[in-house]
Amino acid sequence: MTAAFQQCIWPDCGATYDVGQILTSCPECGSLLDVRYDWDRIAVPDSLSQFESRWSDRLDPLNFSGVWRFRELLNFADDEQIVTIGEGQTVLQKNDAVAALCQMKPSRLYLQYEGLNPSGSFKDNGMTAASTHARIVGAKITACASTGNTSASLAIYAGVSGLFRCIVFVGSGKIAYGKLSQALDYGARTLQIRGDFDDALARVREICANHPVYLCNSVNPFRLEGQKTIMYRILEGLGWEVPDWIVVPGGNLGNSSAFGKAFLELKQLGLIDRIPRLAIINAAGASTLDELVNEHGLLWNDGQTDRNAVGTFYTDMDSSGARASTLASAIEINRPVNLEKALRAIDACNGVVRSVSDQEIIDCRALIAAHGFGCEPASGATIAGVRLLREEGLIAADDRVACVLTGHQLKDPDLTVAYHTDNPELHAKKLHPAGVTQTPYANAPIVVDNDVDTIVAAMGLSD
Ligand code: F0G
């Protein structure tokens, strides 16, 4: 018998369900669900450092996985049920150059580059867990809505494991080509819905509620269990010391929710003595969380979140015709589905929420890339957020800050090339509509005639 169960996050309800049930909201009250554990029945190590011994036994695929080598902390599956493709081989790396750009002292800023996952984004941490649960419940068809990375991730797990088919829903014209190409390559049936991500998610949820299709978006509580391990690897990278800050971009708020849960559990288990602060960074063009928290004062409030305020906010959003719009297409989301879990995480982690403009996002993306960490625009928001919080004095120059870079540079090469090139048409098409009017870190390609002397001159040998 497993020691795991599902539980409604709303304290007034708190209904519990078996791990074998396929649920993405509480059947009693409609709230989100957590996966929870009867910890007394799990052999959790006495100290986090005990997980290190798994490194020496990496021929075992469960120890090789950067998710499942922490399996006692997401203990909902038997070993033989686990679906892994070697995800989570990511380690925390210090970057003093980026620290300097953020006015931070050396050795204080660290990057957790999740672009090195098999499908090139952090999503694989969650999808290995969702795929495992899909296997436990015998799902034959899986689906997700996606701004691109979730679909790439689900597609690779379905393709490689061969355990289930997958159908991905993406907003029409809303997906970066790097991501679309992955879903196609990995063999997913790919539906381009005429609408945006929120439309695609609403449709896929409707369909999964009425058909035998297993939903792999982050409303799936099992997915978020896998994403907790990003925090375990950050702690590991710091010799199991707790950083002062975790900084992460916020879209559907699955990561922020998972991170908060990870720290709450570690604290409850006595495996850490304090919880770091969490900074969630929205794009200014998709800033629902920022507005709700900072302008409307929305709080977790022990689970008594002001749901009417959220409802009114969304009604106003719809009636004014406002739609999310940002070059960081991964986080172009109007109604973050994990809102309440993210509020809980903010509460647990003394968190803050900020928004940064597309100009800041895209400049920071170029700067991080120039220092060796090619990432996609959403990750640029992380560093833009650190810079903002440094300016505000909230992050101190010698705080220890762990920044999550969520996706790989090659996910969205069109935007990178548009930034670097000095082609006015490309700028007008790709950058200006988002308010990006300057490209201070551009490195434009040089067109030269097919002639040695001209080429040598263009090589800058005499510069
Ligand atoms: N960064 C990247 C690269 C993403 O792909 C996403 C989400 C986020 C950040 C936001 O993470 O939702 O946990 O707050 N992408 C989703 C997708 C929505 O469909 O691939 P979050």
Side-chain angles (χ1 to χ4, degrees):
M1 252 280 276
T2 169
F5 56 95
Q6 305 186 65
Q7 184 165 36
C8 174
I9 69 161
W10 190 35
D12 283 3
C13 174
T16 59
Y17 305 94
D18 192 81
V19 162
Q21 284 183 267
I22 306 174
L23 299 167
T24 49
S25 61
C26 174
E28 291 288 326
C29 72
S31 299
L32 294 165
L33 294 168
D34 272 333
V35 179
R36 298 182 68 96
Y37 306 93
D38 183 354
W39 294 112
D40 291 340
R41 294 172 49 204
I42 299 173
V44 177
D46 302 333
S47 89
L48 286 168
S49 60
Q50 289 177 28
F51 285 110
E52 286 167 22
S53 63
R54 296 246 159 97
W55 280 93
S56 56
D57 185 20
R58 301 184 94 210
L59 285 178
D60 176 346
L62 300 192
N63 291 343
F64 180 74
S65 166
V67 171
W68 298 104
R69 63 190 169 85
F70 299 105
R71 52 194 172 275
E72 286 78 3
L73 299 173
L74 55 153
N75 200 319
F76 65 83
D78 294 335
D79 287 1
E80 60 280 4
Q81 295 170 317
I82 289 173
V83 181
T84 173
I85 61 168
E87 58 286 320
Q89 302 303 316
T90 63
V91 289
L92 193 70
Q93 299 185 59
K94 186 178 70 154
N95 195 308
D96 286 348
V98 177
L101 292 168
C102 297
Q103 314 295 327
M104 297 200 54
K105 292 193 176 147
S107 300
R108 305 313 284 172
L109 184 134
Y110 292 79
L111 304 175
Q112 177 70 19
Y113 179 44
E114 291 297 313
L116 293 180
N117 271 289
S119 81
S121 87
F122 76 87
K123 301 282 180 182
D124 296 347
N125 293 286
M127 212 51 81
T128 181
S131 299
T132 297
H133 186 247
R135 180 187 222 171
I136 292 172
V137 297
K140 291 286 165 263
I141 307 174
T142 57
C144 69
S146 184
T147 56
N149 284 325
T150 303
S151 55
S153 184
L154 176 57
I156 200 173
Y157 278 88
V160 172
S161 73
L163 289 166
F164 38 75
R165 286 205 293 129
C166 97
I167 303 157
V168 305
F169 292 45
V170 297
S172 202
K174 289 282 184 185
I175 179 170
Y177 264 24
K179 306 175 188 182
L180 180 60
S181 61
Q182 290 182 287
L184 302 176
D185 251 359
Y186 302 141
R189 180 175 289 232
T190 305
L191 307 184
Q192 294 193 278
I193 311 293
R194 290 202 181 84
D196 60 15
F197 170 80
D198 293 76
D199 298 320
L201 183 57
R203 296 295 81 73
V204 77
R205 289 187 82 169
E206 242 171 271
I207 291 164
C208 289
N210 297 307
H211 294 85
V213 182
Y214 182 92
L215 184 63
C216 289
N217 280 98
S218 53
V219 283
N220 177 330
F222 293 91
R223 228 193 75 182
L224 298 191
E225 289 305 288
Q227 289 171 219
K228 292 188 307 191
T229 64
I230 302 171
M231 294 302 103
Y232 307 152
R233 297 197 296 275
I234 284 182
L235 294 176
E236 185 176 45
L238 295 173
W240 307 109
E241 284 180 19
V242 179
D244 297 301
W245 289 90
I246 302 288
V247 188
V248 64
N252 237 348
L253 305 177
N255 261 342
S256 348
S257 302
F259 299 172
K261 185 171 187 283
F263 289 119
L264 276 170
E265 289 174 350
L266 292 181
K267 184 87 192 328
Q268 184 197 345
L269 290 166
L271 292 170
I272 53 173
D273 54 7
R274 68 182 177 91
I275 291 180
R277 296 192 73 179
L278 178 67
I280 306 173
I281 314 299
N282 275 164
S287 58
T288 298
L289 182 70
D290 181 23
E291 290 176 54
L292 282 172
V293 168
N294 293 320
E295 289 170 27
H296 297 265
L298 196 69
L299 296 168
W300 167 242
N301 199 19
D302 290 329
Q304 309 304 326
T305 299
D306 186 350
R307 293 176 170 183
N308 290 335
V310 180
T312 309
F313 181 87
Y314 287 153
T315 311
D316 291 351
M317 184 190 251
D318 290 344
S319 56
S320 69
R323 298 307 278 175
S325 175
T326 167
L327 289 177
S329 59
I331 51 175
E332 192 179 67
I333 291 171
N334 298 286
R335 297 174 184 236
V337 290
N338 290 298
L339 176 66
E340 293 196 17
K341 284 187 178 177
L343 293 171
R344 182 177 67 182
I346 291 167
D347 183 69
C349 302
N350 189 14
V352 297
V353 185
R354 292 293 182 271
S355 290
V356 289
S357 70
D358 276 5
Q359 180 76 60
E360 291 160 320
I361 288 176
I362 218 77
D363 285 342
C364 282
R365 198 215 61 77
L367 286 171
I368 314 166
H371 293 292
F373 288 80
C375 56
E376 71 158 78
S379 310
T382 302
I383 300 302
V386 176
R387 291 175 87 162
L388 178 63
L389 291 166
R390 276 290 299 124
E391 270 164 41
E392 290 180 11
L394 214 54
I395 294 184
D398 61 357
D399 277 352
R400 196 144 63 156
V401 181
C403 305
V404 183
L405 304 181
T406 46
H408 199 281
Q409 176 184 34
L410 298 178
K411 294 278 189 176
D412 198 350
D414 287 2
L415 195 56
T416 308
V417 172
Y419 185 90
H420 283 295
T421 183
D422 47 16
N423 178 333
E425 275 169 33
L426 261 185
H427 281 202
K429 188 169 157 221
K430 292 259 180 205
L431 305 181
H432 295 171
V436 175
T437 53
Q438 296 156 28
T439 53
Y441 309 107
N443 175 28
I446 304 162
V447 180
V448 277
D449 286 339
N450 187 11
D451 163 78
V452 167
D453 291 340
T454 324
I455 293 172
V456 169
M459 286 170 74
L461 296 179
S462 53
D463 286 359

